Amino acid sequence: MRFLLIILALCSLTVKAEIVSITLPMDNTKLKPSTLPGYGLAQSKCHLCHSVDYVMYQPPEMDLKEWTGEMYKMRNAYGAPISMGEAKVIAAYLSVAYGSAKETDAEIIALTKLASTKKIYQPDNLDVKSLLSDNDCLTCHKDAGVSSIKHIRAKYEGTDNAVDRLGVAIKSGGLGMPKPPINRHESEAIAKYILGESAK
C-alpha cells in the first residue's frame, strides 16, 4: 500500500509535456561589399553550404594562405561547387574583407587578374578534358600502359557501381596515384568520362 501511494504521489508531480514551437529570425547577414571579383562569387557560392555567419566567425587575423586553405577544404573535402581558380579568388576577397590581407598586396592583385581568365564552375556540365589537363592527370595516364585511361576503363567497365567505385578511387588517390585536388562532383565526372564513349 505504501508503495502504491508513492507511485501515485510521483504521478501527481508529473507535468504534462507540451509541444513548444519557436520561430527563428530570418538570416539577414550579408557579406562585406567589395570591388574584388571574389565578392560576387562568395555571394553566389558560399550560402549554398552554410550561412554567412560562418565566415564572420573565423579568426580576424587570417591571411591569404589561411583563407585559401579554408576554401580548398570547402571545395575538396565538402564538395563545394567551385573550381580551383574560384577558390583562390574567393579566398582573396575573404582575406581582405575579413582577414589581414590588403587589396594592394601583389598576390591579391594577381588573383584579381586571374578572375577574368577563369570560367565559372558548372558542376552539372563540367569540361572534363580541361579538368584532366588542369590537374596534370594525362601526364601519367597516357595512351598506353597499365595506367592509361583505356586500361583503367577496361578494369572498371561492367562492374557493379563502376562510376561510384572509380570516382572514389580517383578522389582518394587510388590506382597508385597521389590524391588530386578535386571534389566529389569532379571525380564523378572524370569517372563517367573514363567509362563513357568519349574515352574509348
Side-chain angles (χ1 to χ4, degrees):
M1 184 66 176
R2 189 176 196 183
F3 178 75
L4 181 58
L5 288 173
I6 292 173
I7 295 298
L8 290 172
L10 290 173
C11 289
S12 67
L13 295 175
T14 303
V15 178
K16 184 178 180 181
E18 294 182 9
I19 297 175
V20 177
S21 65
I22 59 171
T23 303
L24 295 174
M26 291 183 64
D27 181 10
N28 294 319
T29 313
K30 294 181 180 180
L31 292 168
K32 293 180 181 178
S34 173
T35 57
L36 291 171
Y39 171 56
L41 281 172
Q43 282 184 306
S44 64
K45 303 287 187 175
C46 295
H47 74 90
L48 297 175
C49 300
H50 56 74
S51 70
V52 175
D53 284 342
Y54 181 84
V55 175
M56 299 177 179
Y57 292 153
Q58 303 309 307
E61 69 279 1
M62 284 175 65
D63 59 17
L64 176 59
K65 182 178 179 181
E66 290 170 314
W67 271 114
T68 301
E70 192 69 16
M71 291 309 303
Y72 282 178
K73 179 177 72 175
M74 295 296 163
R75 176 191 135 75
N76 300 334
Y78 299 128
I82 53 176
S83 66
M84 290 290 284
E86 287 175 330
K88 294 176 183 178
V89 171
I90 294 173
Y93 156 70
L94 293 173
S95 66
V96 171
Y98 297 95
S100 59
K102 304 297 181 189
E103 200 166 333
T104 53
D105 291 349
E107 289 178 304
I108 301 299
I109 293 172
L111 288 169
T112 300
K113 291 179 180 178
L114 174 72
S116 64
T117 66
K118 291 293 182 180
K119 294 180 180 178
I120 298 298
Y121 181 96
Q122 298 293 339
D124 296 328
N125 188 26
L126 288 171
D127 182 352
V128 177
K129 289 184 179 180
S130 294
L131 195 59
L132 292 170
S133 176
D134 291 347
N135 290 284
D136 296 322
C137 299
L138 300 179
T139 301
C140 296
H141 302 290
K142 297 178 181 178
D143 293 335
V146 295
S147 63
S148 70
I149 286 180
K150 288 183 179 179
H151 186 272
I152 294 169
R153 178 177 172 273
K155 178 180 177 180
Y156 283 86
E157 187 179 34
T159 61
D160 293 337
N161 303 315
V163 170
D164 290 338
R165 291 177 59 205
L166 179 53
V168 169
I170 293 169
K171 186 178 185 317
S172 61
L175 308 173
M177 66 180 185
K179 185 175 181 179
I182 59 177
N183 61 37
R184 64 177 179 270
H185 301 294
E186 294 166 328
S187 64
E188 182 179 331
I190 293 172
K192 286 179 179 178
Y193 170 80
I194 292 174
L195 296 168
E197 292 298 317
S198 56
K200 290 182 179 179

